[in-house]
Amino acid sequence: PKYEFILEGNTVQIPCSYYDFEDLGFEMVSEYKMYNVSSGDTTWVKARNSAGKEIELILLNDTMSEQKTRGCKVIGISVDEGKAPNFRLINDVKLGMSYNQVNDIMGVGGSTTYGANEYTEQVGSDIYNIRISYENPVISIDSGTTSYMDYDSLTYYAMNNFWNRKVTSISVRLEH
């Protein structure tokens, strides 16, 4: 059983070979190509396509001997706004969605930090960790108008800003 997501319009399943990402037009950034990964270890690498879109891949060496990064299995992916390719989870969660929209689809995840929710999803016997990170809520109040806002209005403004903050990063990882 594999976890599916959509990358540049293509359904991708992890775990998979690094070469599956090359087939989609993503190439590992050169400084990562020659890294050696010990048996049983994981590492993160960056990969880009010809349009400059960037992803980070989590690689696992599941063999009995040391491997170059390209010989490792992809067990995770992370995308961040800015240089992100077209990416979405199979349930349509994607970058730029609001906190409320994600919660409507996935429910409220366990918060690990102020700016992220973590979810676990079981596919067959495998457990995947999905981390959704959000922009920091920005509350900017003009000091000249603050005296005209009562506490309830200020609280409503702050909470509305919090619930509408946008997804800035999504990562999926196979847990062992």
Side-chain angles (χ1 to χ4, degrees):
K2 298 180 178 224
Y3 188 89
E4 293 184 339
F5 53 86
I6 309 298
L7 178 66
E8 295 290 298
N10 299 289
T11 301
V12 180
Q13 298 179 331
I14 54 172
C16 65
S17 163
Y18 163 75
Y19 296 104
D20 293 337
F21 285 88
E22 279 192 350
D23 291 345
L24 295 173
F26 284 89
E27 183 159 345
M28 197 178 302
V29 175
S30 60
E31 66 257 25
Y32 297 102
K33 287 182 182 177
M34 298 312 295
Y35 283 1
N36 291 322
V37 183
S38 297
S39 175
D41 284 353
T42 60
T43 191
W44 288 77
V45 299
K46 288 185 182 181
R48 278 188 203 105
N49 67 13
S50 61
K53 301 297 184 179
E54 193 170 273
I55 57 178
E56 288 187 329
L57 300 173
I58 305 167
L59 304 178
L60 167 68
N61 178 359
D62 62 351
T63 69
M64 298 303 284
S65 59
E66 188 173 82
Q67 294 285 320
K68 296 286 185 200
T69 48
R70 294 177 78 189
C72 293
K73 180 189 295 186
V74 176
I75 62 163
I77 185 170
S78 182
V79 296
D80 296 310
E81 74 175 354
K83 294 184 177 183
N86 185 352
F87 176 90
R88 66 181 168 84
L89 299 179
I90 207 71
N91 60 10
D92 288 331
V93 169
K94 59 187 174 187
L95 296 173
M97 292 182 94
S98 74
Y99 182 86
N100 275 340
Q101 289 172 313
V102 172
N103 286 345
D104 286 348
I105 294 170
M106 298 184 72
V108 177
S111 213
T112 55
T113 65
Y114 184 59
N117 283 357
E118 287 198 4
Y119 304 86
T120 56
E121 190 168 321
Q122 186 164 350
V123 180
S125 60
D126 292 334
I127 303 290
Y128 291 86
N129 175 274
I130 299 121
R131 182 178 174 91
I132 311 288
S133 299
Y134 301 91
E135 66 190 349
N136 290 327
V138 176
I139 300 172
S140 96
I141 307 278
D142 179 356
S143 61
T145 62
T146 305
S147 61
Y148 300 110
M149 294 181 81
D150 62 26
Y151 178 77
D152 288 338
S153 296
L154 186 56
T155 301
Y156 172 79
Y157 176 80
M159 291 309 293
N160 192 47
N161 193 339
F162 179 84
W163 298 119
N164 287 312
R165 61 200 170 122
K166 304 294 182 212
V167 173
T168 58
S169 172
I170 300 173
S171 65
V172 177
R173 178 189 175 122
L174 172 65
E175 295 298 324
H176 295 286

